[in-house]
Amino acid sequence: MNRAFLFIIGIFCVYTIIPTLVVRLFGIGVYKKGTAGRGIALTFDDGPDPQYTPLLLDLLKQHKIRATFFVLGSKAEKYPKLIARMHEEGHLVGLHNYVHWANALMTPQKVRLQLNHSVNVIESIIGEKPVYYRPPWGIINVFDFLLMKRFRVILWSIIVGDWRSYGGKRRIKRKLLSKLGDGAIIVLHDSGQTLGANHDAPTFMLEALHEFIVKTLSKGYSFLRVDERMSLDERFDYVKLSMKKRIFVYLWFKWDKLFHVLFGVKPVDPENPLLFYRVRPYHGKTILLSDGEKIVSGDRVIELHFNNEMLFRMAIGSHSIVHLAVQIIRSVKEVLPHTVKISNDVHYSNIKAIYGITMIHRGANQLGFTLTNLPRGWFSYVTSLYLKVLLYTIHPKGKTRLKVKSDALTPKVLAISIQELKKRHLNGLMKT
């Protein structure tokens, strides 16, 4: 490999690979997920399309949902009535370049010319200058950081490959529901004309989207435009994390996912992955439960684990640890019925109870759990240290919170017998 080739690779890394990794991994200078409240944002790229965009607008109107469209300037020029309709029906119109080229393959001047042309086209149609911008494929070059003074760069937290037809609507819907979480920014595509896309792919996207919207609304989520989603976050100034904590949070969540893989931890409800579980023998002192059952060493239990990324999203939208606890109780109550389904599995017929350890346990007894102190010893010490690091991670004022009433930050064992679980939560399973 000669020096000239290495030099070209190095330049390309500096020009686009490193900047793209910086914004994709750490979110520097871009917006990719909401941090306060449950509202989620639907965004659509690559349009407008004369066949599919009208159907999409009809669907959004049917459900009284406002969304965000990142349009191509060349298509806006060709189909101005669709852009006008988007604006008139309350949707946000943003930019997606003039044509669908990656910024990595263009000079800084070419990128600016594309954007300026697109801004002029859209402003001439709706009377407003678009300021929200999503670069194609989420790829930027190093000079695009200068654009951030003029545009709000929007990426995403959920992408499901809806530009492909394989798997039909079922694949798209399953992926959307499995990845859904508070503050999600979802990217979908209302055109199949982009390089690498299937022409009929939006047909399946629209079918999946209709069913996804119905299911998501039933779970208590709301839909917001990107600017509304950002405005909601800005009301919570304290959620603006330092770079140090942002990196720490990112690494922690990566460790979380690795833990799930290493120990075979699975979601209780794939469509609402707040709780994860694994089945294992219980090791510890005997626990006397409120209904008279006992858990003794060797009993098989369902061990529960929180989805710490979802906890983080809840926490940074919470005013206090009490508010966070209320949200957790409400959310856990939605998921618990699915543990009944797990306990009914023939492979798990000898499970005695559900078991977990947490420091956020306020109100757990309302759900039927028995709370006991973790026996003192090295395991208690390590668990307490781990959970304090977790609290630092998920709580926006984690460092301060660890200093306030630190004596109250004691891990508790939560447990409920299978019989009590079915008694309290079987009806919730039937409703789902």
Side-chain angles (χ1 to χ4, degrees):
M1 191 176 291
N2 59 44
R3 290 183 179 180
F5 182 73
L6 289 174
F7 178 75
I8 293 171
I9 293 296
I11 291 295
F12 192 69
C13 284
V14 172
Y15 185 68
T16 185
I17 294 177
I18 293 174
T20 299
L21 287 175
V22 166
V23 299
R24 295 286 286 272
L25 294 180
F26 304 119
I28 296 173
V30 303
Y31 185 78
K32 54 192 290 189
K33 191 168 186 178
T35 54
R38 302 197 77 190
I40 60 179
L42 288 173
T43 69
F44 300 92
D45 291 2
D46 300 357
D49 181 277
Q51 179 180 357
Y52 295 112
T53 302
L55 297 175
L56 173 57
L57 290 169
D58 290 344
L59 176 62
L60 295 173
K61 189 175 184 178
Q62 175 188 341
H63 292 286
K64 299 179 181 178
I65 287 172
R66 300 201 298 179
T68 302
F69 289 82
F70 292 102
V71 303
L72 295 171
S74 58
K75 289 188 174 183
E77 227 169 18
K78 196 172 181 180
Y79 308 110
K81 290 184 179 179
L82 288 175
I83 300 296
R85 181 181 170 187
M86 291 174 190
H87 180 67
E88 290 164 3
E89 294 184 2
H91 304 294
L92 180 65
V93 181
L95 302 172
H96 199 46
N97 283 4
Y98 185 73
V99 293
H100 205 282
W101 291 351
N103 291 8
L105 304 178
M106 296 189 288
T107 65
Q109 183 182 15
K110 181 69 174 178
V111 173
R112 280 153 184 74
L113 286 173
Q114 281 221 30
L115 288 174
N116 288 338
H117 192 172
S118 299
V119 167
N120 293 336
V121 168
I122 293 170
E123 185 181 15
S124 70
I125 299 169
I126 66 174
E128 296 178 10
K129 286 188 176 181
V131 296
Y132 295 89
Y133 171 52
R134 174 175 288 156
W137 295 294
I139 298 172
I140 68 167
N141 66 56
V142 69
F143 293 96
D144 288 342
F145 285 109
L146 299 176
L147 291 174
M148 294 173 185
K149 293 181 179 179
R150 180 182 172 194
F151 298 104
R152 298 301 300 268
V153 180
I154 310 298
L155 295 185
W156 58 82
S157 62
I158 296 179
I159 187 166
V160 296
D162 63 304
W163 57 86
R164 291 289 191 181
S165 299
Y166 75 90
K169 74 170 183 179
R170 291 184 62 185
R171 177 184 63 87
I172 297 170
K173 179 186 173 185
R174 175 177 54 79
K175 284 192 172 186
L176 285 171
L177 290 172
S178 67
K179 296 181 178 183
L180 180 63
D182 295 355
I185 307 294
I186 301 170
V187 57
L188 295 168
H189 301 79
D190 56 327
S191 173
Q193 297 175 356
T194 306
L195 179 67
N198 297 128
H199 288 285
D200 63 342
T203 299
F204 304 109
M205 181 277 289
L206 290 168
E207 292 174 354
L209 180 61
H210 171 67
E211 295 182 12
F212 170 74
I213 288 172
V214 172
K215 184 74 171 178
T216 304
L217 290 173
S218 73
K219 289 177 174 288
Y221 288 94
S222 60
F223 289 90
L224 305 171
R225 301 186 341 175
V226 161
D227 57 339
E228 295 168 337
R229 176 63 269 179
M230 295 176 76
S231 177
L232 180 61
D233 294 336
E234 287 166 2
R235 296 176 202 169
F236 296 87
D237 291 335
Y238 62 83
V239 306
K240 295 177 181 177
L241 305 179
S242 67
M243 178 54 60
K244 178 182 175 182
K245 182 153 185 186
R246 192 175 294 182
I247 292 172
F248 183 86
V249 167
Y250 171 79
L251 293 174
W252 186 271
F253 293 155
K254 287 298 180 186
W255 154 248
D256 234 22
K257 290 177 181 177
L258 179 62
F259 176 86
H260 291 170
V261 172
L262 292 176
F263 293 95
V265 182
K266 297 180 262 186
V268 171
D269 176 12
E271 294 186 0
N272 184 16
L274 173 67
L275 292 176
F276 284 75
Y277 78 97
R278 61 174 176 161
V279 176
R280 63 187 296 267
Y282 170 72
H283 298 292
K285 293 186 177 180
T286 299
I287 300 175
L288 178 62
L289 303 178
S290 58
D291 64 348
E293 285 282 359
K294 292 181 181 179
I295 306 176
V296 300
S297 185
D299 282 342
R300 296 235 304 163
V301 296
I302 296 175
E303 182 182 83
L304 292 181
H305 297 265
F306 275 116
N307 179 334
N308 291 324
E309 186 168 359
M310 286 187 71
L311 280 186
F312 173 73
R313 300 298 167 190
M314 288 183 186
I316 56 181
S318 301
H319 306 293
S320 66
I321 202 73
V322 175
H323 184 213
L324 173 60
V326 170
Q327 289 190 80
I328 291 173
I329 291 169
R330 187 184 302 123
S331 300
V332 169
K333 194 172 182 179
E334 291 178 7
V335 181
L336 268 182
H338 291 270
T339 58
V340 176
K341 190 185 297 184
I342 296 168
S343 68
N344 286 337
D345 191 305
V346 292
H347 297 98
Y348 302 143
S349 58
N350 59 346
I351 288 175
K352 190 78 168 287
I354 291 179
Y355 162 90
I357 302 173
T358 182
M359 274 196 299
I360 307 175
H361 41 69
R362 185 189 296 267
N365 57 332
Q366 298 173 21
L367 301 175
F369 285 93
T370 299
L371 277 68
T372 59
N373 291 323
L374 198 61
R376 291 186 177 181
W378 70 268
F379 181 73
S380 175
Y381 174 79
V382 171
T383 301
S384 180
L385 180 63
Y386 171 85
L387 291 175
K388 284 180 179 179
V389 173
L390 174 60
L391 184 61
Y392 167 79
T393 304
I394 68 170
H395 201 278
K397 290 187 176 180
K399 191 173 182 180
T400 304
R401 178 65 188 91
L402 290 174
K403 294 177 181 177
V404 179
K405 296 183 180 179
S406 58
D407 55 327
L409 298 177
T410 305
K412 296 275 188 182
V413 175
L414 281 70
I416 182 173
S417 70
I418 293 300
Q419 289 76 11
E420 185 69 14
L421 175 75
K422 292 179 178 179
K423 178 181 173 183
R424 286 175 173 262
H425 301 289
L426 184 59
N427 287 338
L429 177 63
M430 294 175 177
K431 291 176 183 176
T432 59

